[in-house]
Amino acid sequence: AEWQIASRLGFGGAEMKPMRLLSCLVLRGTQSGSSSMNAGVQLRLYPLTAGWALLVAGLGSRYAASHHQASRSARLLRITVMALLGVYIVNSNIRMTHWRSPDALFLQDAKYWYRSVKVLHAKASELQATGDLQEALDYYQQSLNIFDDQAITDYCIARILINLGRFQEAYERFNKILTGHGIGLHDGNDFLWMTDLGYVLVQLGADAQGAHYLNEGLQRMPYSCYAWNALGVAQARQNQLEQAVQSLTQGLQCDPTSPLTWSNLAAVYAYGKAAPQASEALQEAMRLNASHPVIVHNAQVLTGALPGKELIFDLFIPKPGRR
């Protein structure tokens, strides 16, 4: 349609073809399943494609050419051009108000582009970032209802399920990712699902398998404090105490203020018959959080207040939310 209108306006020749192609690319870029989620949303925000830009330019050219004419058609063309310009200015200003915050922007996009998997994913990501996990799950699922093979969306759902303590459901999501086409995941972000899948497996008691995925993820992105802690716990449960100390120490280099990592390190030292190191690690855990139930339990076990009880290893994972 753009080609036909442009031809009638007198500029639909060879020079139109590359611009028409660009218009197609812009439009396709917002729909392609393999393109970036954020890039797709941003492309959709442009008010005009290249084809419509040429159409407006053509109307302007016609207006300039007929400026000195007094015919009825010339007056009608002037009115049309001014009306289009007015509509464009008003709509552009309305659109700019949507940019006052990510929440307002994605709310409007989801309202009018509710059949776009990317817009729905973007809205869910915003809700997840603000801690509204249940509504985020709903939007992620709406996106999957349109196109089910989105690994990045399934990963985001899995992460929410982990934060909600629904580890078996999260594991099923990871299985779906592993049997799909991996859309949205690549070499630059595959550490996300690897570390989180490893974390889930350790939570479910599959320590050897969990340690494998945690190692793979940490090789790609070593700055994950909770992953080092989970790897240390998995290794300790397999009686790999030396490796567990190394992993937990690496986790403390990442975050020296993690009380549970200090508590886990104390438990590993205790199992390794290194009482002085266990006492020092426990004191640091108590200094950071003396009221945590696991730390209190381990302190009582190590001081002999709970004879016959076992030391407890614990896991943690960051909660969603902007800081």
Side-chain angles (χ1 to χ4, degrees), residues 66-110:
S66 62
H67 184 66
H68 299 291
Q69 298 178 12
S71 66
R72 181 178 179 181
S73 61
R75 289 195 298 272
L76 180 61
L77 184 59
R78 290 193 202 101
I79 294 172
T80 302
V81 169
M82 297 306 296
L84 286 174
L85 180 61
V87 170
Y88 176 77
I89 292 173
V90 171
N91 286 341
S92 295
N93 280 278
I94 293 174
R95 184 56 177 168
M96 289 303 297
T97 65
H98 300 161
W99 285 77
R100 63 184 181 272
S101 68
D103 182 62
L105 176 63
F106 293 129
L107 176 63
Q108 291 297 322
D109 285 349

Side-chain angles (χ1 to χ4, degrees), residues 104-172:
L105 176 63
F106 293 129
L107 176 63
Q108 291 297 322
D109 285 349
K111 181 178 179 181
Y112 294 104
W113 294 85
Y114 53 87
R115 291 295 300 170
S116 167
V117 297
K118 294 178 182 178
V119 166
L120 293 172
H121 178 99
K123 175 61 178 175
S125 297
E126 174 64 19
L127 291 168
Q128 185 176 6
T130 57
D132 193 346
L133 301 186
Q134 190 55 57
E135 191 172 0
L137 278 177
D138 293 340
Y139 274 97
Y140 281 133
Q141 190 56 55
Q142 289 179 43
S143 181
L144 289 177
N145 288 343
I146 299 171
F147 181 63
D148 188 54
D149 192 7
Q150 301 179 66
I152 188 64
T153 303
D154 279 311
Y155 165 74
C156 292
I157 291 177
R159 183 57 183 264
I160 290 177
L161 294 173
I162 291 172
N163 285 123
L164 295 176
R166 295 156 61 177
F167 302 115
Q168 185 60 44
E169 294 177 66
Y171 176 66
E172 293 169 0

Side-chain angles (χ1 to χ4, degrees), residues 246-318:
Q246 293 175 356
S247 296
L248 293 170
T249 302
Q250 191 69 36
L252 290 171
Q253 291 180 4
C254 173
D255 181 12
T257 64
S258 171
L260 284 177
T261 306
W262 281 107
S263 176
N264 290 333
L265 183 60
V268 173
Y269 278 134
Y271 281 123
K273 310 300 182 184
Q277 292 90 333
S279 178
E280 291 176 7
L282 179 62
Q283 289 176 12
E284 187 63 19
M286 294 289 290
R287 184 185 70 81
L288 292 167
N289 191 343
S291 62
H292 194 285
V294 171
I295 297 174
V296 171
H297 172 89
N298 285 348
Q300 292 175 338
V301 171
L302 290 175
T303 57
L306 290 176
K309 295 292 185 178
E310 296 288 333
L311 293 166
I312 297 176
F313 293 109
D314 202 9
L315 305 177
F316 67 89
I317 194 166

